[in-house]
Amino acid sequence: MGEKLYVGVVGGSAFAQKSWDDALAIGREIARRGAVLVCGGLGGVMEAACRGAKEGGGTTIAFLPDEDRSRANDHIDHALPTGMGEMRNMLIVRAADVVIAVGGEFGTLSEIGFALRIGKPVVGLETWELAKSGEPSNAIVVAADPIEAVDRALGLVTGT
C-alpha cells in the first residue's frame, strides 16, 4: 500500500450547526478512505472533523497556535504546539496534500490563500468565494456535500 494522503480541514472556531455536521461527516469520510486529517487542533470545525475522523478509526494531527499542547481538542492524536499564533495556518497547509475548507472566517480565508499560493488544491463546502478584479475565480473547487468534498479532494491529489 502507498503512502497515506494528508487532508487539511480548515474552518471557523465559531460555527453553525450545519458546519459542525458537515465537518463531522468529512472527518469520518477521510478516515474511511485511509487518509490522515491535519488541522489547527482547537474547537469548532476543527474539533468536529477530528471527532469524525476518530469515530472512523482515523489519525489526526494538529498544529496548535500556542505552546500549550493541552489546549488541543480531545480528538487529536498528535498535537504540535507552534507558538506561532495564526501563522501556524501555513504549517497546516504545508503539511496537507489538499485542503478542504468548511464555512469559516478570515482565518480560513488565510489558509485558502496560503494553499492556493503554494499550489495546493482547495475544495470548499459553503466557504469563501473568490474574485480577482471583479471577475469570479474558480480556484476553489466547490463541493455540494461532505462526501463530494472528500471525493474531490482525494481525486485532485491522486488524479482519479
Side-chain angles (χ1 to χ4, degrees):
M1 183 171 178
E3 188 175 315
K4 289 188 176 210
L5 294 176
Y6 284 59
V7 180
V9 178
V10 300
S13 55
F15 60 92
Q17 185 64 47
K18 182 165 181 1
S19 291
W20 174 274
D21 295 341
D22 287 344
L24 191 67
I26 286 169
R28 283 188 194 120
E29 186 65 11
I30 288 169
R32 189 185 75 74
R33 303 281 293 271
V36 175
L37 190 145
V38 180
C39 71
L42 300 178
V45 163
M46 298 170 279
E47 182 176 6
C50 290
R51 178 178 169 187
K54 294 312 300 173
E55 288 175 357
T59 301
T60 59
I61 299 172
F63 290 93
L64 301 169
D66 54 27
E67 297 176 0
D68 185 358
R69 186 174 280 117
S70 71
R71 288 200 34 199
N73 72 60
D74 293 337
H75 313 288
I76 298 295
D77 292 314
H78 306 285
L80 306 171
T82 68
M84 297 175 68
E86 269 73 30
M87 292 307 297
R88 67 69 152 92
N89 291 356
M90 178 57 99
L91 297 175
I92 296 164
V93 169
R94 281 275 181 201
D97 297 305
V98 62
V99 174
I100 299 175
V102 181
E105 298 298 329
F106 291 116
T108 305
L109 181 59
S110 76
E111 290 160 319
I112 292 168
F114 286 144
L116 295 174
R117 175 70 176 102
I118 64 173
K120 301 278 176 108
V122 177
V123 175
L125 182 60
E126 297 188 16
T127 193
W128 290 87
E129 295 177 14
L130 303 179
K132 184 174 181 181
S133 300
E135 295 296 319
S137 168
N138 62 356
I140 300 172
V141 175
V142 178
D145 60 54
I147 302 302
E148 183 181 12
V150 177
D151 282 343
R152 288 186 175 220
L154 297 179
L156 288 166
V157 176
T158 63
T160 59

